[in-house]
């Protein structure tokens, strides 16, 4: 990493491309950019375990594959445990240097795969779990998941009755398992993502990376706005960039930019039904959650 | 080496002699003593394996799938509800062509809660693309673990070996345990060729459109048919090495039989004694032990039962709305036999939920099969309480 001057953008992104073109992603897909960036850091000695999710499709149909590393497709609820099985087998076979990654969407992580994820975390399995979070079941046509934010439209939470429950806090829950590392990241901050991947790659035990991934068809946003939405998610405090080491040491990676939540919501059709009062409530909730996070950081600093 | 082992210990010792490398399991009665023994063997360093103590049977099989895909010999064991919870991945393991070996200790499905034996759990997995072997003794259990790996790894299909709850799982008898070097000579280390390899990256199990899927199924079926030959070949080799022979089926005193009864699992041992008594009295009756459910040995079953006037099938299971599952299989196999040579086949349901199947039960089945005037051809309940 080069010396940083405050305010100056100096991204250190590896030139190498492990992933190839020809994949089946939608234009503007944050999950695909996440994979491209992740593989640059993780390198060719990586095995991916991918359950049912957008990425089960994006990689390409048999006999094609675009990721450039071995990819074990697995059942919806089994990303963490399949990766665990691969990890133990590679260890037994003397291939301990290979990074084993479970790469799953929010449905496979927050919902159906949560039991296996929690169990792998409890056993502190030596895997890197990456959740690319597009905040709903996008692959099956935008149904709500427990990662869908409160107020959002999905095909199972119509605009007349949008999602009433707040999003599950994945990173805090995984942190409570006292795993070595849990962190958030998003594609608008590739330097931060890079650093976290590098850090996670070089640790042993269970590591979790939660990547917020804009989804133009699911969020009803412009393909050209994906990076902007990713950045605004952080600047509005909707998706703070932070990390938790050993479950207790919280570190904030990006200060609040103080941008109002409406700057984030107005770019996404999934929030367009919200009234001024509801948007105000959303702002209050975001501020409240941010305050809690600041307190945690302060307590364990 | 000879040791007194329970059926469950025989499973564990079989897995140890097979040098299973990754074990993943979740406890369920009556399987528990299998994994307790394995945990001890691993802990004592007698078995050099990773034992992943997972949070569910679903994850147990998923871990084996991951391990096997990455080239390690894997093992799991379960019963009843646990097997049912695995169901999605039971299909997965076979379509992914991963030669995992699993022991299922037959236990009846709930409700009502029961821990006693019957075959509905394993028979419900008939159509998943696993080979299934039903064992009769603890010796057969141990030997079948070794056979299962050798057979499965040759045809790239997973194998389930099945033993009755308590009648085998918790009953001890003398078992001959192959020495490690003998077992190694029979079963060399696993060399998977379609496994995770960072030097040659491939995607496993990705989207298969209409251009491919049917051919995957065709290849799976072809592997099963190949399995018919491989089971016999490997069984023969095992017999030459260890003096114990295992094939697809075991006919017993079937020559010129007026009636043959068909059994599986521990009911076979009871039936064998009964057949001996009847034969000693000069009655022409025989026994067909079904060791293999899949691949179904259609030709051998036809050969054994062709021209036999009467066949009685004892089913320790029920397919509600149809009848006994083995009876259904036997009837399907005999359909293409010329009518003149086709036996009358009578179905008997007995021993569900662990109810004892005694010589009295088998005698009743034999009597009724030989004198069927007062019974139903398709389905008869034995020892049913009024």
């Amino acid at each position: 990493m080069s010396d940083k001057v405050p305010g100056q953008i100096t991204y250190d992104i590896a030139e190498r491309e492990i992933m190839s073109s020809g994949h089946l992603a939608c234009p503007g897909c944050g999950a695909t950019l996440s994979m491209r960036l992740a593989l640059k850091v993780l390198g060719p000695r990586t095995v991916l375990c991918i359950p049912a999710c957008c990425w089960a499709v994006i990689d390409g149909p048999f006999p094609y594959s675009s990721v450039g590393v071995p990819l074990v497709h697995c059942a919806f609820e089994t990303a963490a445990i399949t990766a665990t099985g691969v990890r133990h087998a590679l260890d037994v076979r003397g291939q301990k240097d290979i990074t084993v990654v479970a790469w799953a969407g929010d449905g496979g992580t927050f919902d159906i795969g949560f039991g296996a994820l929690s169990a792998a975390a409890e056993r502190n399995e030596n895997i890197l779990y990456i959740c690319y979070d597009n905040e709903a079941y996008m692959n099956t046509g935008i149904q709500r998941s427990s990662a869908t934010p409160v107020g959002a439209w999905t095909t199972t939470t119509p605009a007349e009755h949008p999602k009433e429950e707040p999003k599950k806090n994945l990173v805090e829950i995984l942190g409570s398992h006292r795993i070595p590392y849990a962190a958030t990241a998003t594609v608008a901050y590739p330097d931060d993502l890079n650093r976290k991947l590098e850090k996670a790659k070089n640790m042993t035990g269970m590591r979790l990376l939660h990547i917020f991934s804009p989804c133009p068809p699911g969020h009803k946003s412009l393909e050209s706005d994906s990076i902007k939405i990713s950045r605004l998610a952080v600047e509005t405090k909707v998706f703070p960039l932070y990390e938790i080491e050993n479950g207790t040491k919280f570190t904030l990676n990006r200060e609040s930019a103080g941008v109002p939540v409406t700057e984030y919501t107005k770019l996404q059709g999934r929030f367009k039904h919200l009234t001024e009062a509801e948007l105000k409530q959303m702002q209050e909730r975001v501020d409240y959650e941010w305050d809690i996070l600041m307190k945690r950081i302060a307590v364990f600093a | 080496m000879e040791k007194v082992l329970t059926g469950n210990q025989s499973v564990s010792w079989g897995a140890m002699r097979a040098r299973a490398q990754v074990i993943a399991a979740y406890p369920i009665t009556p399987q528990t003593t299998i994994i307790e023994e394995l945990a001890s063997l691993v802990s004592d360093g007698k078995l050099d394996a990773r034992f992943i103590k997972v949070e569910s049977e679903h994850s147990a099989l998923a871990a084996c799938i991951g391990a096997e895909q990455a080239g390690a010999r894997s093992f799991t064991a379960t019963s009843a509800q646990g097997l049912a919870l695995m169901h999605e991945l039971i299909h997965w393991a076979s379509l992914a062509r991963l030669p995992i070996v699993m022991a299922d200790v037959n236990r009846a499905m709930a409700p009502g809660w029961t821990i006693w034996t019957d075959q509905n759990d394993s028979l419900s997995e008939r159509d998943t693309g696993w080979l299934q072997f039903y064992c009769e003794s603890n010796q057969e259990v141990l030997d079948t673990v070794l056979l299962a790996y050798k057979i499965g790894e040759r045809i790239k299909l997973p194998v389930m070996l099945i033993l009755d709850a308590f009648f085998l799982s918790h009953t001890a008898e003398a078992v001959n345990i192959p020495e490690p070097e003998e077992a190694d000579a029979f079963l060399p280390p696993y060399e998977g060729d379609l496994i995770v390899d960072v030097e040659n990256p491939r995607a496993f199990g990705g989207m298969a459109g209409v251009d491919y899927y049917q051919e995957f199924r065709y290849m799976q079926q072809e592997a099963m048919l190949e399995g018919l030959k491989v089971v016999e070949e490997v069984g023969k080799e095992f017999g030459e090495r260890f003096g114990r022979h295992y094939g697809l089926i075991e006919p017993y005193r079937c020559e010129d039989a007026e009636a043959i009864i068909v059994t599986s699992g521990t009911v076979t041992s009871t039936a064998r004694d009964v057949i001996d008594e009847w034969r000693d009295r000069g009655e022409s009756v025989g026994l067909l032990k079904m060791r293999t459910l899949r691949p179904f040995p259609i030709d051998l079953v036809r050969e054994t039962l062709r021209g036999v006037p009467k066949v009685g099938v004892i089913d320790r299971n029920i397919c509600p709305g149809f009848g006994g599952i083995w009876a259904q299989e036997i009837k399907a196999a005999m359909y293409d036999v010329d009518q003149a040579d086709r036996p009358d086949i009578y179905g008997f349901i007995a021993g569900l939920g662990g109810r004892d199947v005694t010589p009295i039960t088998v005698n009743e089945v034999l009597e009724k099969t030989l004198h069927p005037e007062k019974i139903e051809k398709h389905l008869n309940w034995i020892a049913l309480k009024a």
Side-chain angles (χ1 to χ4, degrees):
Chain A
M1 302 288 266
S2 56
D3 293 336
K4 298 231 168 165
V5 179
Q8 186 187 333
I9 298 168
T10 54
Y11 293 154
D12 295 295
I13 310 296
E15 289 287 326
R16 66 175 172 187
E17 295 287 356
I18 308 277
M19 203 182 117
S20 63
S21 58
H23 57 75
L24 301 181
C26 307
C29 171
T32 305
L33 182 54
S34 300
M35 178 68 89
R36 182 181 159 209
L37 292 169
L39 285 172
K40 280 167 174 278
V41 177
L42 299 173
R45 293 187 72 76
T46 299
V47 177
L48 295 169
C49 299
I50 302 186
C53 62
C54 288
W55 251 105
V57 177
I58 294 169
D59 182 59
F62 174 87
Y64 304 105
S65 176
S66 56
V67 285
V69 296
L71 193 175
V72 179
H73 287 274
C74 56
F76 207 167
E77 61 279 57
T78 68
I81 185 64
T82 304
T84 298
V86 169
R87 169 80 277 158
H88 285 278
L90 293 178
D91 286 353
V92 169
R93 297 178 58 224
Q95 300 182 22
K96 296 195 177 192
D97 68 307
I98 292 173
T99 305
V100 180
V101 177
W103 181 276
D106 50 292
T109 302
F110 287 66
D111 291 346
I112 196 168
F114 191 74
L117 170 60
S118 170
E122 184 272 333
R123 294 191 305 269
N124 196 26
E125 297 289 354
N126 187 20
I127 60 170
L128 170 54
Y129 192 105
I130 301 179
C131 171
Y132 67 94
D133 178 8
N134 49 31
E135 302 196 317
Y137 290 87
M138 298 312 187
N139 195 33
T140 45
I142 324 168
Q143 294 84 22
R144 68 90 89 179
S145 75
S146 62
T148 303
V150 64
W153 162 92
T154 68
T155 55
T156 52
T157 50
E160 298 73 24
H161 296 94
K163 187 164 182 271
E164 292 175 7
E165 308 80 13
K167 182 185 178 90
K168 195 187 270 185
N169 192 326
L170 180 73
V171 174
E172 275 195 23
I173 296 168
L174 267 290
S176 294
H177 289 69
R178 302 294 183 255
I179 58 175
Y181 191 62
T184 64
T186 187
V187 285
Y189 298 88
D191 51 346
D192 178 76
L193 175 60
N194 254 17
R195 183 184 63 78
K196 287 170 177 168
L197 283 161
E198 194 77 55
K199 185 170 179 175
K201 183 188 172 184
N202 293 317
M203 294 171 93
T204 50
M206 182 79 180
R207 296 141 282 162
L208 174 100
L209 211 51
H210 177 199
I211 305 179
F212 171 63
S213 304
C215 169
H219 298 170
K220 302 294 170 208
S221 57
L222 293 175
E223 294 153 9
S224 53
D225 276 349
S226 288
I227 298 299
K228 199 172 180 181
I229 289 168
S230 166
R231 186 179 304 118
L232 281 165
V234 176
E235 289 180 341
T236 57
K237 305 184 290 190
V238 166
F239 191 81
L241 293 180
Y242 69 106
E243 54 200 325
I244 311 173
E245 283 158 281
N246 299 313
T248 50
K249 188 180 173 232
F250 283 59
T251 308
L252 186 70
N253 309 122
R254 196 89 192 171
E255 293 297 334
S256 164
V259 178
V261 166
T262 45
E263 293 299 303
Y264 171 71
T265 53
K266 75 181 185 190
L267 297 177
Q268 303 172 67
R270 62 174 173 158
F271 295 120
K272 76 172 181 202
H273 53 276
L274 294 177
T275 62
E276 224 167 276
E278 285 164 337
L279 286 166
K280 188 165 168 283
Q281 271 183 350
M282 188 183 276
Q283 182 69 58
E284 284 165 6
R285 180 177 292 280
V286 164
D287 291 339
Y288 175 73
E289 289 292 337
W290 178 267
D291 285 347
I292 291 175
L293 179 63
M294 292 309 108
K295 282 174 185 156
R296 291 199 196 283
I297 290 166
V299 166
F300 295 108
Chain B
M1 167 171 64
E2 198 151 274
K3 256 174 102 84
V4 175
L5 297 180
T6 63
N8 278 355
Q9 285 174 312
S10 303
V11 172
S12 313
W13 278 73
M16 175 168 68
R17 284 294 185 261
R19 297 196 191 280
Q21 295 168 295
V22 175
I23 298 160
Y26 183 80
I28 180 169
T29 304
Q31 155 263 34
T32 36
T33 50
I34 295 176
I35 65 171
E36 289 167 3
E37 181 86 0
L38 281 169
S40 294
L41 294 171
V42 171
S43 167
D44 296 347
K46 289 179 182 160
L47 172 57
D48 182 17
R50 299 291 185 100
F51 190 155
I52 312 170
K53 288 134 196 175
V54 291
E55 82 293 352
S56 73
E57 289 89 353
H58 194 277
S59 283
L61 189 49
C64 289
I65 286 170
E68 200 84 33
Q69 193 72 76
R73 190 173 275 165
S74 69
F75 180 80
T76 188
T78 190
S79 291
Q81 314 299 125
L83 190 68
L85 183 60
M86 288 178 177
H87 178 70
E88 176 197 21
L89 298 177
I90 295 178
H91 277 285
W92 191 291
S94 177
L95 275 166
R97 304 297 300 275
L98 301 171
I100 297 161
V101 172
M102 160 157 60
D104 177 58
V105 185
N106 267 152
R107 161 179 157 173
M109 297 298 297
W113 278 119
T114 171
I115 53 172
W116 307 102
T117 200
D118 78 32
Q119 299 175 328
N120 259 87
D121 59 348
S122 54
L123 289 172
S124 295
E125 305 302 338
R126 184 191 66 174
D127 300 339
T128 55
W130 285 56
L131 284 78
Q132 283 198 10
F133 296 115
Y134 287 78
C135 298
E136 183 194 344
S137 69
N138 294 349
Q139 184 69 62
E140 185 175 359
V141 166
L142 188 147
D143 293 344
T144 301
V145 178
L146 294 169
L147 289 160
Y149 280 110
K150 182 131 176 169
I151 294 162
E153 287 169 9
R154 266 194 46 193
I155 58 176
K156 294 189 170 66
L157 283 176
V159 184
M160 197 182 300
L161 66 123
I162 295 129
L163 58 155
D164 293 4
F166 301 103
F167 296 120
L168 279 192
S169 68
H170 289 65
T171 305
E173 55 187 356
V175 174
N176 190 294
I177 303 165
E179 296 305 322
E181 51 279 9
E182 293 173 336
D184 292 345
F186 171 72
L187 182 68
Y190 177 46
E191 301 279 355
D193 54 353
L194 279 172
I195 57 171
V196 164
D197 177 7
V198 290
E199 306 296 337
N200 182 16
R202 276 185 283 228
F204 300 92
M207 273 194 301
V210 290
D211 286 346
Y212 289 101
Y213 186 87
Q214 187 160 310
E215 283 65 32
F216 292 160
R217 281 299 201 180
Y218 173 79
M219 290 160 75
Q220 187 188 31
Q221 164 67 3
E222 289 293 297
M224 273 285 180
L225 294 181
E226 174 73 10
L228 286 171
K229 279 180 262 168
V230 172
V231 171
E232 295 281 5
E233 273 173 36
V234 172
K236 190 161 172 282
E237 187 197 333
F238 190 91
E240 284 160 6
R241 286 178 183 276
F242 301 104
R244 297 183 294 275
H245 299 263
Y246 300 97
L248 292 153
I249 60 169
E250 284 177 32
Y252 181 70
R253 302 187 83 169
C254 287
E255 59 284 354
D256 305 321
E258 193 64 26
I260 288 178
I261 55 169
V262 180
T263 60
S264 53
T266 54
V267 175
T268 307
S269 312
T270 310
R272 195 179 280 112
D273 272 6
V274 173
I275 293 294
D276 282 344
E277 285 171 21
W278 282 57
R279 279 279 179 183
D280 291 349
R281 293 205 305 264
E283 306 266 6
S284 298
V285 293
L287 169 69
L288 171 58
K289 165 183 165 180
M290 295 303 300
R291 175 168 149 78
T292 317
L293 175 75
R294 286 291 180 276
F296 195 80
I298 296 176
D299 290 342
L300 288 175
V301 168
R302 280 185 193 153
E303 219 172 277
T304 309
L305 301 182
R306 177 181 281 121
V308 175
K310 297 186 177 77
V311 170
V313 183
I314 302 181
D315 269 298
R316 195 171 221 160
N317 64 78
I318 175 87
C319 169
F322 192 88
I325 295 169
W326 288 103
Q328 182 179 336
E329 299 279 316
I330 300 287
K331 283 180 191 175
M334 298 311 288
Y335 181 77
D336 282 338
V337 172
D338 288 343
Q339 201 165 359
D341 287 334
R342 198 189 301 154
D344 288 334
I345 300 173
Y346 301 92
F348 299 92
I349 305 289
L352 301 191
R355 186 165 297 179
D356 245 358
V357 175
T358 66
I360 297 168
T361 323
V362 181
N363 275 317
E364 186 179 339
V365 168
L366 268 170
E367 292 283 1
K368 286 183 166 166
T369 302
L370 279 165
H371 308 288
E373 301 77 23
K374 288 181 185 166
I375 64 165
E376 298 293 325
K377 196 167 177 186
H378 185 66
L379 177 60
N380 298 279
W381 292 78
I382 301 294
L384 190 68
K385 289 181 185 167

